[in-house]
């Protein structure tokens, strides 16, 4: 996986992880690379019958031009009840990631498509586009954190925020935590962001460079903290609107005309900004 790291499992890495109430640098998470069908099967056994409130499963995806037209390289999954992060090697395993069953016959595709199992993404649209385009996965049970943040605002709802801005503003970092997060982010961007001289091909490199491993793990581990923060502020009315809009985002991402690039991606769902301007927040 990376130099000085075991190929299949990295134990007790000091990252920003933990429960939804308090995350600190002293918390630690088991970090696993899933790159065999057997490891997928074991993962499925580990995520069987998990609590639904708060959500147990938090997802992110990395790839080149993440969409039906690009590639999926890594699917990140943080499982909160067992405090474990999984980097699923989609580039290596392909369809086996989603079709390999656990002991009860359930697959990751099943988990992603069950509406009764809540799953948290941040801006699910392009992730959904890629999963549907490449593996015919129809996401359901989605809680979109980007929409949760928007729904809790007491100011303008005209545009959505990106993940980095949400983490910086609402992540409740200590000074040390923020420095670690920023440094990990910077090292990852230098490797894959073209504007920083990097290339998205780095996500296809095996073994994965250590800085990419940490980059992939970091943000998905912070998602439960953001979920908890926004969930406490979310009214019943806006929770319903968030869930409905999350479902609409998935449906839109699967449509033939979906375009996941451009200024329109920053706009709030139809009607949200108008309601805010009229004072009905």
């Amino acid at each position: 996986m990376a130099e000085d790291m075991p190929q299949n499992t990295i134990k007790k890495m000091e990252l920003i992880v933990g429960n939804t109430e308090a995350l600190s640098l002293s918390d630690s998470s088991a970090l696993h690379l899933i790159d065999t069908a057997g490891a997928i099967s074991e993962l499925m056994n580990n995520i069987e019958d998990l609590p639904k409130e708060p959500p147990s499963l938090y997802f992110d995806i990395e790839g080149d031009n993440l969409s039906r037209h690009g590639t999926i390289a890594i699917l990140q999954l943080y499982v909160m009840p067992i405090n474990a992060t999984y980097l699923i090697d989609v580039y290596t395993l392909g369809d086996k990631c989603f079709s390999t069953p656990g002991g009860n016959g359930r697959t990751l595709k099943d988990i992603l498509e069950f509406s009764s199992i809540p799953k948290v993404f941040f801006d699910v649209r392009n992730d959904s586009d890629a999963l549907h385009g490449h593996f015919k996965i129809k996401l359901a049970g989605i809680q979109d954190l980007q929409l949760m943040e928007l729904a809790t605002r007491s100011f303008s709802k005209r545009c959505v925020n990106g993940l980095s801005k949400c983490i910086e503003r609402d992540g409740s970092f200590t000074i040390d935590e923020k420095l670690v997060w920023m440094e990990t982010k910077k090292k990852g961007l230098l490797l894959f962001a073209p504007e920083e001289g990097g290339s998205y091909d780095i996500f296809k490199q095996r073994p994965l460079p250590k800085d990419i491993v940490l980059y992939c793990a970091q943000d998905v581990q912070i998602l439960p903290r953001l979920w908890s923060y926004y969930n406490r502020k979310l009214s019943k009315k806006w929770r319903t609107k968030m869930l409905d809009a999350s479902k609409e985002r998935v449906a839109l991402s699967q449509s033939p005309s979906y375009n996941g690039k451009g200024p329109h991606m920053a706009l709030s769902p139809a009607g949200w900004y108008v309601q805010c301007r009229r004072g009905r927040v």
Side-chain angles (χ1 to χ4, degrees):
M1 180 177 182
E3 293 181 5
D4 302 322
M5 293 184 177
Q7 181 66 22
N8 292 319
T9 304
I10 302 174
K11 295 288 189 180
K12 300 298 182 184
M13 298 190 67
E14 295 303 316
L15 301 171
I16 304 171
V17 297
N19 59 48
T20 58
E21 298 304 320
L23 303 177
S24 72
L25 289 174
S26 62
D27 294 318
S28 60
S29 171
L31 176 55
H32 306 268
L33 173 65
I34 305 298
D35 59 1
T36 68
I40 291 287
S41 184
E42 183 178 348
L43 168 61
M44 297 311 302
N45 293 333
N46 290 342
I47 61 176
E48 184 66 28
D49 297 324
L50 295 175
K52 297 180 180 179
E53 184 67 30
S56 294
L57 305 177
Y58 299 79
F59 289 89
D60 193 14
I61 300 179
E62 302 294 344
D64 185 2
N65 183 26
L66 189 62
S67 67
R68 69 191 70 178
H69 307 295
T71 61
I72 299 176
I74 301 291
L75 186 148
Q76 302 103 284
L77 167 61
Y78 178 68
V79 185
M80 190 173 66
I82 60 175
N83 192 24
T85 304
Y86 297 88
L87 304 187
I88 302 172
D89 191 347
V90 181
Y91 178 71
T92 297
L93 291 176
D95 185 66
K96 291 180 181 178
C97 294
F98 307 104
S99 62
T100 302
N104 70 345
R106 185 175 291 181
T107 67
L108 185 56
K109 184 176 189 290
D110 294 331
I111 296 291
L112 290 167
E113 293 187 333
F114 283 162
S115 61
S116 60
I117 299 176
K119 294 159 291 279
V120 178
F121 284 75
F122 188 95
D123 190 0
V124 72
R125 291 172 290 183
N126 286 349
D127 292 356
S128 175
D129 178 28
L131 288 170
H132 184 258
H134 294 289
F135 300 104
K136 308 303 180 187
I137 292 171
K138 298 181 179 180
L139 291 176
I142 302 303
Q143 298 183 25
D144 193 320
L145 263 178
Q146 188 179 57
L147 295 176
M148 287 185 75
E149 185 279 325
L150 189 68
T152 61
R153 286 188 203 167
S154 58
F155 54 96
S156 174
K157 288 181 169 65
R158 182 173 184 270
C159 293
V160 297
N161 283 334
L163 179 57
S164 292
K165 186 171 184 178
C166 290
I167 291 174
E168 288 184 34
R169 194 184 68 185
D170 302 325
S172 302
F173 282 129
T174 66
I175 293 176
D176 286 342
E177 285 178 328
K178 189 168 186 178
L179 288 173
V180 169
W181 175 75
M182 292 176 64
E183 183 68 15
T184 301
K185 195 83 170 176
K186 179 181 178 181
K187 288 181 178 179
L189 288 171
L190 287 172
L191 289 174
F192 76 80
E195 63 272 19
E196 299 289 343
S199 169
Y200 284 101
D201 285 341
I202 197 72
F203 290 111
K204 302 175 185 177
Q205 182 177 316
R206 299 294 180 271
L208 280 169
K210 179 179 178 180
D211 288 335
I212 289 296
V213 171
L214 297 178
Y215 176 89
C216 288
Q218 177 173 258
D219 285 352
V220 76
Q221 292 170 336
I222 292 177
L223 297 186
R225 179 191 289 197
L226 292 178
W227 185 93
S228 181
Y229 177 79
Y230 299 137
N231 184 65
R232 289 193 296 267
K233 299 173 64 179
L234 204 57
S235 69
K236 182 177 179 180
K237 167 191 170 182
W238 280 101
R239 184 184 307 279
T240 299
K241 291 177 71 68
M242 177 274 295
L243 291 173
D244 289 343
S246 296
K247 192 180 298 184
E248 290 167 3
R249 278 187 160 188
V250 170
L252 173 65
S253 73
Q254 297 172 2
S255 65
S257 60
Y258 175 71
N259 176 15
K261 296 183 182 297
H264 65 283
M265 295 292 287
L267 299 178
S268 63
W272 284 34
Y273 179 51
V274 173
Q275 289 199 2
C276 182
R277 289 183 63 190
R278 291 176 180 173
R280 298 201 299 271
V281 178

